[in-house]
Amino acid sequence: MSIEAAAEALRRGDLVILPTETVYGLAADAANPLAVAKVYEAKGRPSFNPLIAHVSDVAAAQRIAAFDDRARMLARAFWPGPLTIVAPAREGVSDLARAGLDTVAVRVPAHPLARQLLEAFGGPVVAPSANRSGRPSPTRFQDAVEETGAAAAVALDGGPCEIGLESTVVSLLDEPRLLRPGAVTRREIEALLGPLAEAQADAKRSPGRMSLHYAPNAPVRIDAEAPREGEAYLAFGPSGSPFNLSPAGDLREAAANLFAMLRAADRTNPAAIAVAPIPHEGLGEAVNDRLRRAAGNIG
Ligand code: TXA
Ligand code: MG
């Protein structure tokens, strides 16, 4: 398959199996929430965990993330390569890809096919490891195809991955912090930035949950069959409500709409946001997980 076919698939909102030097990724247009929702669905992720945005160079990284001197230093030293930098988000990566956080994880991969695709496509591309949730990351073309190939419109064969371990993830939100060890070592990073703080226990398990931004200002009432007086209603399936997560009752569409629609409903200053019951299968589990968090029903 050609690079141009893969770039075209991304523009259409389709997914691409993408070789990188670390592991195979399942790639989508980072700016297209519906495409991003397909990634979560294909991986069967039980909840939305933020995704890494892949870009072609440091200039492109700085359009989507606010870089300080430390970030520029790391980028100069290790990009292109297996290092992911977490920094405050700017524009261009959808809410869903960031799991509603105001931060973004970004990296410039080194694999020639990944670089060619990023250049042909011209925008940020999210690419989590191409495995189904809970399974090892694929490091061979065939493994990637077996795991999530069915969800991809194009699969690029880059041969075996050189690194075979996911990228090092460093957070630069406060003191530099190692969120995930990888091929760029602690020593190499500390040589530039000084001692690295440890990932907080919670960050290690699931960084997407550390600081929740899911909850709107208005209280959220879930499993609501109908709105009460003064409430905004987020429907699912056929309804006269101005807010509808998916008129067709499609969970992928509902997931893609969720954060934006909670915000839109919130802007009407309702007494509460009531949300229709969402089926719990497939992506519905993730949607319900976020809704329960937004409603404060999770300990
Ligand atoms: O090597 C890699 O990084 C591969 C290849 C395909 O590039 N991708 C990858 O993506 O491993 P994924 O989604 O499997 O892992 C992304 C990691 C997760 O641990 C996620 O929690 C963390 O990065 N992450 C993403 N965005 C974050 C953010 N805003 N803050 C903190 N951690 C974040
Ligand atoms: Mg992974």
Side-chain angles (χ1 to χ4, degrees):
M1 276 288 188
S2 75
I3 292 293
E4 199 34 57
E8 193 44 49
L10 293 179
R11 283 181 208 115
R12 280 199 311 271
D14 283 340
L15 308 188
V16 171
I17 296 272
L18 177 68
T20 83
E21 73 280 19
T22 59
V23 299
Y24 272 83
L26 185 62
D29 177 356
N32 178 344
L34 204 51
V36 173
K38 288 185 191 175
V39 172
Y40 285 110
E41 186 186 44
K43 283 181 64 73
R45 273 201 178 172
S47 62
F48 297 136
N49 194 4
L51 306 178
I52 296 170
H54 298 66
V55 293
S56 53
D57 54 36
V58 186
Q62 293 190 84
R63 285 195 284 276
I64 64 171
F67 270 21
D68 58 15
D69 289 342
R70 302 171 303 173
R72 278 186 285 272
M73 211 187 291
L74 289 182
R76 205 177 307 123
F78 302 114
W79 283 354
L83 177 77
T84 295
I85 297 172
V86 174
R90 295 186 67 193
E91 298 294 303
V93 174
S94 65
D95 264 8
L96 186 59
R98 292 183 285 103
L101 298 173
D102 50 15
T103 62
V104 67
V106 58
R107 92 172 179 102
V108 176
H111 193 290
L113 288 184
R115 294 176 62 70
Q116 284 166 36
L117 179 60
L118 289 169
E119 256 155 47
F121 177 64
V125 167
V126 288
S129 49
N131 52 287
R132 294 189 49 80
S133 191
R135 293 179 45 80
S137 298
T139 56
R140 301 285 182 276
F141 178 65
Q142 207 44 53
D143 295 345
V145 169
E146 249 175 65
E147 287 279 338
T148 53
V154 176
L156 294 173
D157 186 351
C161 298
E162 206 179 307
I163 289 175
L165 271 185
E166 301 88 346
S167 62
T168 304
V169 181
V170 175
S171 167
L172 297 178
L173 299 177
D174 39 54
E175 48 189 336
R177 198 177 289 280
L178 187 61
L179 298 186
R180 182 171 75 179
V184 172
T185 64
R186 171 193 298 274
R187 265 252 282 322
E188 290 178 290
I189 298 166
E190 289 187 337
L192 293 178
L193 300 186
L196 283 171
E198 292 307 314
Q200 285 124 337
D202 204 33
K204 200 163 192 174
R205 210 170 46 240
S206 183
R209 284 150 196 270
M210 278 175 46
S211 51
L212 294 177
H213 293 245
Y214 312 119
N217 291 319
V220 173
R221 188 168 70 84
I222 55 178
D223 295 323
E225 298 291 349
R228 296 175 186 153
E229 169 112 51
E231 286 183 338
Y233 190 58
L234 262 59
F236 179 80
S239 161
S241 174
F243 301 110
N244 199 321
L245 291 169
S246 171
D250 176 41
L251 286 168
R252 205 155 69 190
E253 185 179 27
N257 283 334
L258 182 62
F259 289 125
M261 222 163 259
L262 279 173
R263 280 173 215 268
D266 207 28
R267 280 196 290 268
T268 69
N269 290 318
I273 301 173
V275 187
I278 307 293
H280 208 64
E281 77 266 8
L283 259 187
E285 195 182 340
V287 173
N288 282 319
D289 173 77
R290 283 303 167 274
L291 284 170
R292 284 202 311 279
R293 286 171 192 283
N297 288 3
I298 257 176

